[in-house]
Amino acid sequence: MFNFIWGVAFVIVNFGLFLLSYRLFGRKGLYAWVGFATVLANIQVVKTIEMFGIVMTLGNSIYASIYMTTDLLNEKYGPRAARQAVWFGFFSLFASAIIMQMVLVFVPQETDISQEALKTIFGLAPQIALGSLSAYFVSQFLDVRVFSALKNRFPAYNQFWLRINGSMGLSQFVDSLVFCSIAFYKVYPLDVWLQILITTYVLKFVISAAGTPVLYLARSFRFREEEKE
């Protein structure tokens, strides 16, 4: 029960910081959010927890917010801005994976206390990074394309919820399938792998759906510098 209560608080904090980043820094804040959210999600995913007797990984909350960010960019600034954010996140993940692998190669000093901790966190990084990069690349560009298609089919202002959940529902399933197939290949037994796949997708979708009011609020933000463009 503690993990569930703490998880709800965790989601609220993630949504709050997402809104704050956009409110304070405008469109640049959304790009910044995508950049560090991809890195943090990649770190959090190595931690598994149990909730209601089901094994799941962390990282779902902040990763779901990346879809929220690209959908918001697509809604307010168009698909080109959303694709640019996807490339920004892809580069952030790619660069951080390379840098941290190089960090692990350095020979630590005798009194160093961080090497083993870093190896624990980033030891699976090549496999996880490959899974993350592949899943991110495929699913995020799919999300942008599907959102744009839904926007053409359901363009009404009050149909935003349909565009959000329709695009994220499909793209997050693809993301979960690709990521789990690569990142956790031969890492977990099949039954645990299936639990992670199912819970990862369900959690991401539930969190994203819960974020719909957050995106409506974010869409209402206005910025003077953007009005002058």
Side-chain angles (χ1 to χ4, degrees), residues 15-26:
F15 285 170
L17 291 174
F18 162 76
L19 285 173
L20 186 62
S21 182
Y22 185 39
R23 179 72 271 180
L24 292 178
F25 308 109

Side-chain angles (χ1 to χ4, degrees), residues 184-198:
F184 298 138
Y185 177 68
K186 291 187 176 181
V187 175
Y188 297 109
L190 181 60
D191 59 332
V192 175
W193 183 88
L194 286 172
Q195 286 186 44
I196 293 175
L197 171 63
I198 295 170

Side-chain angles (χ1 to χ4, degrees), residues 34 63-75 78-79 82-83 85-86 135-151 160 162-175 205 208 215:
V34 168
Y63 195 71
S65 72
I66 301 174
Y67 290 90
M68 293 168 58
T69 306
T70 53
D71 283 353
L72 180 60
L73 283 165
N74 203 340
E75 176 74 8
R83 286 192 294 269
V86 173
Y136 179 90
F137 188 85
V138 173
S139 66
Q140 286 289 339
F141 280 111
L142 176 64
D143 182 70
V144 173
R145 183 177 291 273
V146 173
F147 186 94
S148 298
L150 289 174
K151 192 172 183 179
F160 185 37
L162 184 58
R163 299 191 287 272
I164 296 169
N165 294 291
S167 61
M168 287 193 292
L170 176 60
S171 58
Q172 287 182 350
F173 175 75
V174 173
D175 176 270
F205 184 75
S208 298
L215 284 178

Side-chain angles (χ1 to χ4, degrees), residues 15-221:
F15 285 170
L17 291 174
F18 162 76
L19 285 173
L20 186 62
S21 182
Y22 185 39
R23 179 72 271 180
L24 292 178
F25 308 109
R27 193 190 312 188
K28 293 179 181 178
L30 295 179
Y31 290 130
W33 183 268
V34 168
F36 65 74
T38 54
V39 176
L40 288 179
N42 197 50
I43 294 173
Q44 292 176 18
V45 77
V46 301
K47 180 170 182 176
T48 56
I49 64 171
E50 185 175 316
M51 190 181 298
F52 303 121
I54 301 174
V55 178
M56 59 187 70
T57 62
L58 291 181
N60 297 310
S61 298
I62 197 164
Y63 195 71
S65 72
I66 301 174
Y67 290 90
M68 293 168 58
T69 306
T70 53
D71 283 353
L72 180 60
L73 283 165
N74 203 340
E75 176 74 8
K76 294 195 68 174
Y77 308 107
R80 182 178 180 182
R83 286 192 294 269
Q84 187 177 29
V86 173
W87 280 115
F88 189 81
F90 184 83
F91 177 78
S92 298
L93 185 57
F94 179 74
S96 63
I98 291 177
I99 290 172
M100 291 312 301
Q101 289 308 299
M102 293 186 69
V103 165
L104 292 177
V105 175
F106 281 100
V107 178
Q109 197 266 345
E110 291 181 358
T111 59
D112 174 78
I113 61 173
S114 64
Q115 178 71 3
E116 292 305 314
L118 289 173
K119 286 175 65 176
T120 299
I121 297 174
F122 296 102
L124 292 175
Q127 188 171 343
I128 288 180
L130 179 60
S132 295
L133 286 168
S134 302
Y136 179 90
F137 188 85
V138 173
S139 66
Q140 286 289 339
F141 280 111
L142 176 64
D143 182 70
V144 173
R145 183 177 291 273
V146 173
F147 186 94
S148 298
L150 289 174
K151 192 172 183 179
N152 290 330
R153 179 66 178 82
F154 305 100
Y157 191 79
N158 61 358
Q159 291 177 321
F160 185 37
W161 67 272
L162 184 58
R163 299 191 287 272
I164 296 169
N165 294 291
S167 61
M168 287 193 292
L170 176 60
S171 58
Q172 287 182 350
F173 175 75
V174 173
D175 176 270
S176 299
L177 181 61
V178 173
F179 175 75
C180 289
S181 297
I182 298 175
F184 298 138
Y185 177 68
K186 291 187 176 181
V187 175
Y188 297 109
L190 181 60
D191 59 332
V192 175
W193 183 88
L194 286 172
Q195 286 186 44
I196 293 175
L197 171 63
I198 295 170
T199 56
T200 295
Y201 172 66
V202 171
L203 273 176
K204 286 178 183 176
F205 184 75
V206 169
I207 292 169
S208 298
T212 300
V214 177
L215 284 178
Y216 269 88
L217 177 60
R219 188 176 63 167
S220 69
F221 291 170

